[in-house]
């Protein structure tokens, strides 16, 4: 029973952005571990921690996440049908908020 409690307390849970993403196919993929995961859907909706977030809220949301985890990296899961201008605006807002490293997740050929 004590071991069960230990494993429950020390377990790390993966946060999902809460949106279904159809990723772009690419040839090479580098796996990363990022604590901040953001989804950009085909209809240019932005999802963070299973909540839809408006572009104007990105700066404040990223500031809150940086307070919880200074030096955090971010990964954006981008749908193949999303608009590149929205992705650029999203990345700019994240960089303005203090996110230093932003990775973009795509689908591998595997």
């Amino acid at each position: 029973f004590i071991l069960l409690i230990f494993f429950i307390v020390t377990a790390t849970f993966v946060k999902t952005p809460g949106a279904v993403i159809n990723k772009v196919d690419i040839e090479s993929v580098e796996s990363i571990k990022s604590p901040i995961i953001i989804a950009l859907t085909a209809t240019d909706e932005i999802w963070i921690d299973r909540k839809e977030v408006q572009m104007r809220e990105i700066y404040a949301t990223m500031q809150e996440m940086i307070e919880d985890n200074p030096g955090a990296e971010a990964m954006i899961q981008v749908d193949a049908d999303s608009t590149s201008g929205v992705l650029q605006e999203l990345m700019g807002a994240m960089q303005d908020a203090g996110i230093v490293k932003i990775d973009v997740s795509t689908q591998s050929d595997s």
Side-chain angles (χ1 to χ4, degrees):
F1 183 71
I2 293 172
L3 285 174
L4 177 64
I5 292 173
F6 173 77
F7 287 120
I8 291 172
V9 171
T10 60
T12 303
F13 298 99
V14 177
K15 292 183 179 180
T16 59
V20 177
I21 300 297
N22 179 20
K23 296 181 182 178
V24 179
D25 290 332
I26 62 168
E27 292 183 15
S28 64
V29 174
E30 181 180 326
S31 297
I32 61 161
K33 294 182 180 179
S34 298
I36 300 174
I37 300 175
I38 301 166
L40 180 60
T41 67
T43 57
D44 294 329
E45 296 172 339
I46 302 167
W47 288 78
I48 303 172
D49 288 339
R50 297 186 181 139
K51 296 178 209 160
E52 187 176 357
V53 178
Q54 300 299 318
M55 185 65 73
R56 65 182 178 271
E57 300 169 338
I58 294 296
Y59 183 86
T61 304
M62 291 298 109
Q63 286 288 318
E64 290 174 11
M65 293 184 141
I66 290 173
E67 287 177 10
D68 294 339
N69 189 3
E73 297 178 0
M75 178 174 58
I76 304 173
Q77 296 177 342
V78 181
D79 192 284
D81 296 325
S82 64
T83 308
S84 62
V86 174
L87 175 61
Q88 291 175 346
E89 186 178 353
L90 174 61
M91 292 176 72
M94 292 170 66
Q95 289 173 340
D96 290 345
I99 303 291
V100 177
K101 184 173 180 186
I102 302 171
D103 295 306
V104 178
S105 173
T106 57
Q107 184 175 1
S108 67
D109 290 334
S110 303

